[in-house]
Amino acid sequence: MATNQQQQQVELLLRELSLESNNSFPELISWLRDKYGHRSINSRWRSLSSQGQSTLLQWPNAGTWADFEKLLDVLLDGLDSELQYHNPDTGKYKKLSSQINQLERRKGFWSNYRDRFERCRILLPQKSANWVSQQLKRDIDILVSDGSEETEVCIFDFGDNFIIEFFRGEATEMRLFNRQQNPQIEEILFVSSGLSIKSLRYLGGKVFDHAYLWQAYAEKWLRVEHGIFPNYRTAFFAGLTSPYDRYDPKTGLATPSVEKQQIRERKLRRWEDKIKQLEAEAQLYCDNKI
């Protein structure tokens, strides 16, 4: 199609497709976001009418999870390639292997909420951005280097709440912010540039761990305390093995055995000590910059 003709047809699509029906056309929505999304490279966003722009922004993004999944797959491939260059008996190999495991667990966990979040923003350290830019044609937000352990970050928009997810590292976490209680938080998380690991931790929020067996406890924390539920009709929780993956919308996931709970408590205390250290470093770093 000629550019003008394509633009006319896109405007027609944006008028005719309802917010509810767009999930039935994931490939079409992905194409629209790639060509006309407000953050896409060489986007035709500015050629859309104000009504078209508004409609595209309002859609619960069918491409959001696809983007997240593709990006994680690229990161996993990059880490796996690095892994091949190291001897299995070295500390570097074990660290990379652990980080691959962390990414796979994040991917599995958040796939259970793929229909619930409205959008996400992914921020990458420069090395990860180099991997991604070679394989995915998309705008990339770069984390400012601040001396923190290298990790990727994803910010999820669940409507009433925003969640910052730290992907990998010695001690990682998720941080939750309520939209009503933090009027400025949306602009900071989704508009601000120049974000770093320390500046994100400096924001505070309600913090949840990634210690041993964190998935079952995180699901309960999200559901009971913050009203964030897994995908509709979830019967099995992705990322967990049978029989621990069985899911009940009223009671959640099965409670781990007493022995496993005791192991978690020990590891959780170590995680808490490390997070306190990281938060103190973030506060010192950010206070000195202000």
Side-chain angles (χ1 to χ4, degrees):
M1 279 186 186
T3 301
N4 289 342
Q5 185 182 9
Q6 183 187 97
Q7 181 184 334
Q8 292 172 4
Q9 294 301 312
V10 167
E11 290 281 359
L12 179 62
L13 278 170
L14 293 173
R15 287 198 301 270
E16 295 297 326
L17 283 177
S18 67
L19 298 182
E20 293 76 20
S21 69
N22 77 82
N23 281 325
S24 301
F25 309 100
E27 292 183 1
L28 173 61
I29 304 307
S30 179
W31 180 86
L32 284 170
R33 292 185 65 245
D34 181 53
K35 299 298 183 185
Y36 289 88
H38 69 298
R39 296 184 62 80
S40 299
I41 298 174
N42 299 322
S43 173
R44 298 169 186 166
W45 166 260
R46 295 186 182 279
S47 69
L48 293 175
S49 66
S50 58
Q51 181 183 351
Q53 292 177 349
S54 176
T55 300
L56 197 54
L57 284 174
Q58 287 178 50
W59 276 352
N61 251 326
T64 296
W65 171 257
D67 288 347
F68 178 79
E69 187 174 38
K70 286 178 183 177
L71 188 137
L72 275 183
D73 286 341
V74 171
L75 294 176
L76 285 166
D77 287 343
L79 287 173
D80 188 61
S81 296
E82 274 205 6
L83 196 69
Q84 309 309 315
Y85 290 100
H86 297 278
N87 188 300
D89 296 327
T90 63
K92 181 66 173 178
Y93 183 95
K94 293 175 182 177
K95 181 179 180 179
L96 287 169
S97 180
S98 173
Q99 291 182 350
I100 289 172
N101 181 268
Q102 286 177 315
L103 284 180
E104 288 175 339
R105 291 183 183 277
R106 305 294 182 270
K107 178 181 176 182
F109 182 82
W110 290 112
S111 71
N112 297 292
Y113 297 86
R114 63 194 301 167
D115 300 334
R116 297 297 192 183
F117 62 86
E118 299 177 6
R119 55 177 169 160
C120 66
R121 181 185 185 187
I122 301 171
L123 301 105
L124 305 177
Q126 187 62 59
K127 186 174 182 180
S128 299
N130 293 340
W131 288 340
V132 172
S133 63
Q134 293 173 12
Q135 299 191 44
L136 299 180
K137 295 180 180 179
R138 58 164 294 159
D139 193 13
I140 298 172
D141 289 315
I142 307 295
L143 285 163
V144 173
S145 178
D146 61 7
S148 297
E149 184 178 13
E150 194 171 78
T151 182
E152 299 76 27
V153 173
C154 188
I155 304 170
F156 296 102
D157 179 355
F158 281 96
D160 292 334
N161 297 293
F162 301 105
I163 292 177
I164 303 176
E165 171 70 89
F166 296 84
F167 283 11
R168 56 189 172 111
E170 183 182 355
T172 61
E173 76 273 29
M174 63 176 78
R175 293 178 177 269
L176 183 144
F177 302 84
N178 181 269
R179 184 191 294 267
Q180 300 303 320
Q181 296 172 2
N182 300 272
Q184 308 302 319
I185 198 67
E186 180 176 10
E187 183 173 357
I188 294 172
L189 297 180
F190 280 92
V191 179
S192 295
S193 59
L195 294 173
S196 71
I197 298 298
K198 285 186 171 68
S199 69
L200 289 170
R201 285 195 167 117
Y202 184 73
L203 294 173
K206 297 179 180 179
V207 186
F208 201 87
D209 68 273
H210 285 146
Y212 182 62
L213 300 179
W214 63 272
Q215 293 97 322
Y217 293 89
E219 184 282 324
K220 182 177 180 180
W221 181 70
L222 292 171
R223 173 173 47 86
V224 175
E225 297 189 28
H226 303 292
I228 298 175
F229 294 85
N231 304 328
Y232 183 56
R233 291 183 176 175
T234 293
F236 296 92
F237 215 73
L240 299 177
T241 57
S242 179
Y244 307 106
D245 61 344
R246 293 186 178 275
Y247 183 76
D248 185 303
K250 293 182 179 179
T251 59
L253 294 164
T255 302
S257 67
V258 173
E259 181 182 359
K260 289 186 175 182
Q261 290 181 52
Q262 291 172 343
I263 296 173
R264 173 173 164 78
E265 284 301 315
R266 291 197 297 272
K267 296 193 174 186
L268 184 58
R269 286 194 291 271
R270 290 200 293 271
W271 173 87
E272 288 171 343
D273 290 341
K274 183 61 178 179
I275 285 296
K276 286 179 183 177
Q277 176 190 333
L278 293 173
E279 289 178 333
E281 292 173 358
Q283 182 164 353
L284 180 63
Y285 176 87
C286 293
D287 285 347
N288 287 336
K289 291 193 69 176
I290 294 175

